[in-house]
Amino acid sequence: MGRLFGTDGVRGRANADLTPELALALAVAAAHTLAETDRSHPPLAVVGRDTRASGEMLEAAVVAGLTSAGANVVRVGVLPTPAVAFLTAEAKADLGVVLSASHNPMPDNGIKLFAAGGHKLPDEIEMRIEAAVETNATTAWDRPIGAGVGRVHDLLDGADHYVQHLVSTLPHRLEGLKVVVDCANGAAAEVAPVAYREAGAEVVAIHAEPNGLNINDECGSNHIEALREAVVEHGAHLGIAHDGDADRIVAVSADGDEVDGDQVMAILALAMREAGTLTQDTLVATVMSNLGLRLAMSAQGIRLIETKVGDRYVLEELRASGLALGGEQSGHIVMPAHATTGDGVLTGLHLMARMAATGKSLAELASVVTKLPQVLINVPVGDRTVGAAAPAVRAEVERAEAELGETGRVLLRPSGTEPLVRVMVEAATEATAREVAERIAALVRTASPAAS
């Protein structure tokens, strides 16, 4: 069996790579691996999903798998991934399951798992679940009968509890701010506009009419063109774009310029330090963050710790070191005092709270970070491991790093969720960064050409 888990759960084309049979097997394995060893009561699982049509099918398979393993299930319906994590913790459940492929296009879907407390899984637990899937494929699992079969209940007010929690975390109300929110026709469609309005902002919602097929379709955090136009058209103070499961954010200033996760982290880090809540004056980011973030934080006396790509690695560092803020350039921002995982709506609220408290525009706040030119090329490959590790590719990376010296860097990594190798280059000029990135990308394509 190949590796099932990527950087953020299990993903694939729904009903092709990610089948109901696989979803059921993963649910059974997760129930056996994550459920409490104390069997004096049945395990409890919280299950939610985004708006993809295939989520209905996969949810049914997951619920069947969980209940067949003796777990009781609380279905919470369509909710953001961080809302499911929050409700998993609130319900003191043994595990949480989200059917979502985040920012991926609609034909894809995914399964994200949370342990008790709403925390993402470490690598070793994922490996145990994969081993259990493989074992159950050849050996029948222990199936309870009669009263031992799990039961299913629906939670109808989960969104209300989640919104109330989000708004209660704010240090400042949002009256006077007008925001356009792009809901990506996804899980944020109901929750995000309500949360922003409850906090006092005037809200214009776009792409908030999911039909099961239009999630992330030319909208959301990967496609902010419509958001830029809407912000200018409505004279809004800012725009916020979420992805399909609303665990991240991309912002747009009043004049339509993008404000990415690095800049959002810097804004929040300075706000938290001022409030005395930035533990050890330290921010956690991944190796994908722009060099400009490190330079900006250093100039402000804030230490930056880097992790592998993936918000779960940021989370692991935050928990291990007792820190208060971390995230990714892509917009997954983690605030452990308020959430157990990246939360786009929470981030949007706190970003606007900083604007309201200071009276400064988003552009002015974001200007603390001067980003170095950065070029990212996603190279489709047949084998992402081979494409990244080929000797010719590694030799070219070493040569490029020597050329750039301290004025730039090269990052080459296989995607954890797609058949891609990501080539990222930062340099003093965009022309240099692009020339180096394209040079390396060409060698990656040669080393492992994509299937036609």
Side-chain angles (χ1 to χ4, degrees), residues 26 70 113 119 133 157 202 223 226 302 308 333 370 384 388 407 427:
L26 276 165
L113 298 172
H119 297 289
V133 170
D157 59 354
E202 180 183 351
H223 303 278
I302 294 175
K308 292 190 292 184
I333 311 298
T370 301
R384 55 195 175 194
T407 64

Side-chain angles (χ1 to χ4, degrees), residues 168-212:
S168 73
T169 71
L170 282 181
H172 197 285
R173 295 279 298 174
L174 310 183
E175 275 81 10
L177 290 180
K178 184 175 185 179
V179 60
V180 179
V181 55
D182 185 337
C183 301
N185 291 316
E190 294 294 333
V191 168
V194 170
Y196 297 149
R197 289 189 183 107
E198 286 286 326
E202 180 183 351
V203 179
V204 177
I206 63 174
H207 302 127
E209 298 179 350
N211 61 16

Side-chain angles (χ1 to χ4, degrees), residues 424-445:
M424 191 273 283
V425 177
E426 289 173 340
T429 68
E430 183 171 356
T432 299
R434 184 161 300 281
E435 188 275 327
V436 172
E438 289 177 348
R439 205 166 71 207
I440 296 171
L443 288 173
V444 171
R445 291 188 190 96

Side-chain angles (χ1 to χ4, degrees), residues 131-180:
V133 170
E134 190 168 17
T135 299
N136 291 341
T138 57
T139 305
W141 68 86
D142 180 22
R143 295 171 181 261
I145 59 173
V149 174
R151 305 297 299 274
V152 183
H153 305 276
D154 291 315
L155 181 67
L156 302 181
D157 59 354
D160 293 337
H161 285 302
Y162 175 59
V163 169
Q164 290 169 13
H165 162 69
L166 293 178
V167 176
S168 73
T169 71
L170 282 181
H172 197 285
R173 295 279 298 174
L174 310 183
E175 275 81 10
L177 290 180
K178 184 175 185 179
V179 60
V180 179

Side-chain angles (χ1 to χ4, degrees), residues 5 34 113-115 119-123 125-126 129 312 316:
F5 286 89
L34 295 173
L113 298 172
F114 293 103
H119 297 289
K120 289 198 172 183
L121 308 183
D123 289 340
I125 298 298
E126 290 184 347
I129 292 172
R312 66 185 176 131
E316 287 175 6

Side-chain angles (χ1 to χ4, degrees), residues 156-324:
L156 302 181
D157 59 354
D160 293 337
H161 285 302
Y162 175 59
V163 169
Q164 290 169 13
H165 162 69
L166 293 178
V167 176
S168 73
T169 71
L170 282 181
H172 197 285
R173 295 279 298 174
L174 310 183
E175 275 81 10
L177 290 180
K178 184 175 185 179
V179 60
V180 179
V181 55
D182 185 337
C183 301
N185 291 316
E190 294 294 333
V191 168
V194 170
Y196 297 149
R197 289 189 183 107
E198 286 286 326
E202 180 183 351
V203 179
V204 177
I206 63 174
H207 302 127
E209 298 179 350
N211 61 16
L213 306 178
N214 59 1
I215 185 171
N216 297 323
D217 186 11
E218 298 300 319
C219 60
S221 58
N222 278 19
H223 303 278
I224 63 171
E225 298 79 13
L227 179 63
R228 293 179 196 264
E229 294 176 3
V231 167
V232 174
E233 176 188 347
H234 291 279
H237 295 92
L238 78 159
I240 291 174
H242 295 295
D243 59 340
D245 69 339
D247 65 352
R248 67 183 175 120
I249 179 179
V250 172
V252 169
S253 66
D255 54 7
D257 290 335
E258 179 179 344
V259 176
D260 68 11
D262 285 344
Q263 294 163 301
V264 172
M265 281 190 284
I267 293 168
L268 297 183
L270 293 175
M272 291 173 66
R273 188 183 63 175
E274 183 179 298
T277 58
L278 186 67
T279 310
Q280 300 176 35
D281 286 346
T282 298
L283 172 67
V284 180
T286 77
V287 293
M288 287 295 287
S289 280
N290 193 281
L291 222 54
L293 175 63
R294 177 176 287 279
L295 296 173
M297 293 297 92
S298 177
Q300 295 290 332
I302 294 175
R303 183 168 66 115
L304 184 68
I305 296 176
E306 289 186 346
T307 73
K308 292 190 292 184
V309 174
D311 67 338
R312 66 185 176 131
Y313 298 114
V314 173
L315 275 159
E316 287 175 6
E317 180 61 37
L318 289 168
R319 293 181 67 190
S321 301
L323 301 174

Side-chain angles (χ1 to χ4, degrees), residues 363-379:
E364 186 177 358
L365 291 172
S367 67
V368 67
V369 176
T370 301
K371 296 192 292 184
L372 272 68
Q374 185 182 81
V375 172
L376 175 64
I377 300 178
N378 292 320
V379 185

